[in-house]
Amino acid sequence: MSNKELKDRLISIAIKELIANRWNHLDMKKLSSLSKSPLDDVLLVCSSKHKLLDYWSDNINFEMVKSLSIKELQQVSKKERVLELMMCRFDVIKSKSKEVNALIKLSKKSLIESSYSFNRALIGMKLILEYSDISTKGSLGLLKIKALTIIWLLSLRDWNKGQVPNEEALMAILNKRLSFAEKVNQMLS
């Protein structure tokens, strides 16, 4: 089995264990056993179970942009790019709602798990800003990443609680929050 195949299998196992509410009982030995792969091979692919969720999150980031045309994105304003990319991210998230709900549930139970989830969201938002040609350099760039992450997490919370009835409502919420962030950014610049 190739490293990619093993990695995909391990991600699948980690997600299944997360959904089954057995995340806290999962360790590298259990991953080795469930994947029917030697522990040394498992450790070559990933160093921790959290890394598998990082890989899963990376896959979401990839799916978010795989059908986009960069040329089309460049024809609209930066704010519209961010909005479009966030909507694409929500489209991917909706197709993985069971997994996302399990991850949210886990994050609510543990501050450590929350910090891992927050860091994954930061990476996704940094990617969105970079695809939107918005600088992420320096302290102002870090502030933009964190602000967009908060907007994302607030919107994800609303969606998760069922407070967003459809895509138009989601787009309106994101647009309102992005407009506010844009005003704050203009005041800081």
Side-chain angles (χ1 to χ4, degrees):
M1 177 182 326
S2 73
N3 281 352
K4 168 121 177 62
E5 291 170 331
L6 179 57
K7 179 179 165 184
D8 291 343
R9 178 184 280 179
L10 292 171
I11 292 169
S12 177
I13 291 168
I15 293 298
K16 285 178 186 171
E17 294 299 299
L18 177 67
I19 291 170
N21 204 21
R22 294 187 296 257
W23 181 256
N24 291 331
H25 304 291
L26 187 64
D27 59 19
M28 299 311 286
K29 286 182 183 177
K30 179 105 174 174
L31 279 166
S32 173
S33 170
L34 292 172
S35 68
K36 298 178 175 73
S37 300
L39 181 59
D40 289 342
D41 291 351
V42 170
L43 291 171
L44 281 174
V45 172
C46 69
S47 56
S48 73
K49 64 182 183 180
H50 294 99
K51 194 71 178 160
L52 293 171
L53 291 181
D54 292 345
Y55 294 150
W56 179 78
S57 182
D58 291 343
N59 288 340
I60 289 174
N61 292 333
F62 174 76
E63 287 181 45
M64 172 185 71
V65 297
K66 76 177 180 184
S67 63
L68 285 177
S69 163
I70 299 300
K71 287 184 180 186
E72 287 177 18
L73 265 182
Q74 292 173 337
Q75 295 175 0
V76 297
S77 71
K78 290 180 179 184
K79 178 185 166 196
E80 289 171 341
R81 291 178 208 171
V82 171
L83 182 60
E84 177 65 26
L85 288 163
M86 289 183 94
M87 290 301 295
C88 289
R89 187 172 178 86
F90 264 109
D91 287 343
V92 175
I93 294 288
K94 282 189 278 185
S95 71
K96 301 177 183 313
S97 62
K98 192 184 292 187
E99 296 94 328
V100 171
N101 288 333
L103 191 56
I104 290 170
K105 184 178 174 184
L106 179 67
S107 295
K108 286 179 179 179
K109 290 181 181 178
S110 164
L111 184 60
I112 293 170
E113 297 298 340
S114 286
S115 68
Y116 283 119
S117 293
F118 186 77
N119 287 332
R120 288 182 201 104
L122 283 171
I123 292 168
M125 296 307 107
K126 182 178 185 214
L127 183 67
I128 286 175
L129 288 171
E130 288 172 350
Y131 270 104
S132 301
D133 288 329
I134 297 172
S135 175
T136 59
K137 305 255 188 275
S139 56
L140 186 57
L142 184 59
L143 184 62
K144 290 175 188 177
I145 295 168
K146 289 183 177 182
L148 192 60
T149 302
I150 290 169
I151 290 170
W152 169 259
L153 292 174
L154 288 171
S155 303
L156 182 64
R157 181 199 64 190
D158 293 346
W159 170 78
N160 185 264
K161 287 183 174 182
Q163 297 174 344
V164 182
N166 54 41
E167 261 190 45
E168 291 79 25
L170 177 60
M171 190 177 288
I173 289 169
L174 285 170
N175 194 31
K176 180 180 175 184
R177 290 175 175 159
L178 288 171
S179 293
F180 177 75
E182 194 174 42
K183 289 175 187 173
V184 170
N185 183 42
Q186 288 171 354
M187 288 188 306
L188 293 175
S189 298

